[in-house]
Amino acid sequence: MKDLLVNLPGYALRRASAAMLSDLSAELAPLNLRPTYASVLVLIGGNAGATPSSLGRALGIQRANMVPLIAHLEELGLIARTALDGRSFRLDLTALGKKHCQIVQDIFDKHEERLLARIPSEHRAHVLPAVRALWQE
Amino acid sequence: MKDLLVNLPGYALRRASAAMLSDLSAELAPLNLRPTYASVLVLIGGNAGATPSSLGRALGIQRANMVPLIAHLEELGLIARTALDGRSFRLDLTALGKKHCQIVQDIFDKHEERLLARIPSEHRAHVLPAVRALWQE
DNA sequence: TATTGTTATACTCTATAACTATA
DNA sequence: TATAGTTATAGAGTATAACAATA
């Protein structure tokens, strides 16, 4: 089978992203968190008092799609909401949330290590700046 | 908002992949094809007589999920199936399929150009080999 | 008027299990 | 016994439109 797609960086990005996401999902499964939920948790951990809207803007997730994410993290007892004014509220980690956040960050770090280990050393340092240039700015 | 995720290559890959996919979707929309469908079309174009199963293996798509892809490409009149034996069939581009395949390849090429143009030149050559190492082998 | 949170809905892609017909 | 195609179903993630309440 002649694969005409493997030399397309967009296609390669898609396959790599899917593979990484699949691995990370398995690593996060014991915490009852999927990658998106874990990302929100970590971001709240580093930004106490953030609102769903501000988190959504940082993560590229729309307001409407933040609702079930926040609700689930709250159900798990990992975050708590406090009214800021009549229409918005701040989010903070609970004690349990802080524990889980630390575990998630360890999983993220190990995941990143394994990921970088797969890349030939001469290319390794170029990946992050190159890939970030594709979606940032 | 302190973004603790932007330095994680896995997260950056995910955002970049999503951004590229969104762009490509818009470029393919006039053909009534989405990225996955276009990928299958191009792969059949380069591998006349391939079967759904063999295409699925090459693309990392399961047999069951190939069914609607093949059915839709056939409905659009882009591919035709011919029985190989009692349980499998070969796929080939129709005349219209060949035309559309060429257009898709042009879209892919332009898309790749724009993508590479966004990457600072000192990193550009490293992206494909690095990203391919993350899912191939 | 613009923003926040929310509801409802639909679509893309992927995953799994099970079935049939054939090799 | 293994493989090819299929059906049905479920889940994750994303997109859009609309609404009420508030700033």
Side-chain angles (χ1 to χ4, degrees):
Chain A
M1 172 79 53
K2 193 163 81 177
D3 197 334
L4 303 166
L5 305 169
V6 293
N7 290 320
L8 302 177
Y11 180 77
L13 274 171
R14 189 175 158 194
R15 294 294 298 264
S17 170
M20 294 303 101
L21 221 52
S22 171
D23 281 5
L24 188 57
S25 288
E27 294 154 17
L28 290 169
L31 289 176
N32 273 317
L33 293 173
R34 272 156 293 120
T36 305
Y37 293 79
S39 302
V40 174
L41 189 70
V42 167
L43 207 56
I44 296 173
N47 298 277
T51 63
S53 284
S54 67
L55 293 167
R57 279 189 291 268
L59 291 164
I61 299 175
Q62 307 197 35
R63 278 198 328 280
N65 296 325
M66 290 299 296
V67 177
L69 297 177
I70 299 300
H72 183 64
L73 292 175
E74 200 180 14
E75 268 175 39
L76 291 175
L78 304 180
I79 63 173
R81 59 177 90 193
T82 311
L84 278 175
D85 56 29
R87 70 176 176 185
S88 66
F89 50 83
R90 58 175 291 149
L91 296 168
D92 294 276
L93 297 185
T94 61
L96 181 62
K98 284 177 188 168
K99 265 189 221 167
H100 282 228
C101 185
Q102 186 56 58
I103 299 173
V104 166
Q105 284 185 310
D106 291 345
I107 291 174
F108 279 5
D109 288 346
K110 279 189 215 161
H111 183 251
E112 173 175 10
E113 268 178 44
R114 275 198 300 278
L115 190 157
L116 289 174
R118 296 198 55 162
I119 302 173
S121 56
E122 70 268 30
H123 304 307
R124 201 169 290 145
H126 297 276
V127 172
L128 191 57
V131 172
R132 274 170 57 170
L134 292 176
W135 64 275
Q136 281 187 320
E137 276 145 62
Chain B
M1 172 79 53
K2 192 164 78 176
D3 196 335
L4 303 166
L5 305 169
V6 292
N7 290 320
L8 301 178
Y11 180 77
L13 274 170
R14 189 175 159 193
R15 293 293 298 265
S17 170
M20 293 304 100
L21 220 52
S22 171
D23 281 3
L24 187 57
S25 289
E27 292 155 19
L28 290 169
L31 289 176
N32 273 317
L33 293 173
R34 274 156 291 120
T36 305
Y37 292 79
S39 303
V40 174
L41 188 70
V42 167
L43 207 56
I44 296 174
N47 298 275
T51 63
S53 285
S54 68
L55 293 167
R57 279 189 292 269
L59 291 164
I61 300 174
Q62 308 196 35
R63 278 198 327 280
N65 296 326
M66 290 299 297
V67 177
L69 297 177
I70 299 299
H72 183 63
L73 292 175
E74 199 180 14
E75 267 175 40
L76 292 176
L78 304 180
I79 62 174
R81 59 178 90 194
T82 310
L84 279 175
D85 56 29
R87 70 178 178 185
S88 66
F89 50 83
R90 58 175 292 149
L91 297 168
D92 294 277
L93 296 186
T94 61
L96 181 62
K98 284 177 188 168
K99 264 189 222 167
H100 283 227
C101 185
Q102 186 55 57
I103 299 173
V104 167
Q105 284 185 312
D106 291 346
I107 291 175
F108 279 5
D109 289 346
K110 279 189 214 158
H111 182 251
E112 172 174 11
E113 268 179 43
R114 276 198 301 277
L115 189 157
L116 289 174
R118 297 198 54 162
I119 301 174
S121 56
E122 69 268 30
H123 304 306
R124 200 170 290 146
H126 297 275
V127 172
L128 192 57
V131 172
R132 273 171 56 171
L134 291 177
W135 65 275
Q136 280 187 321
E137 278 144 64

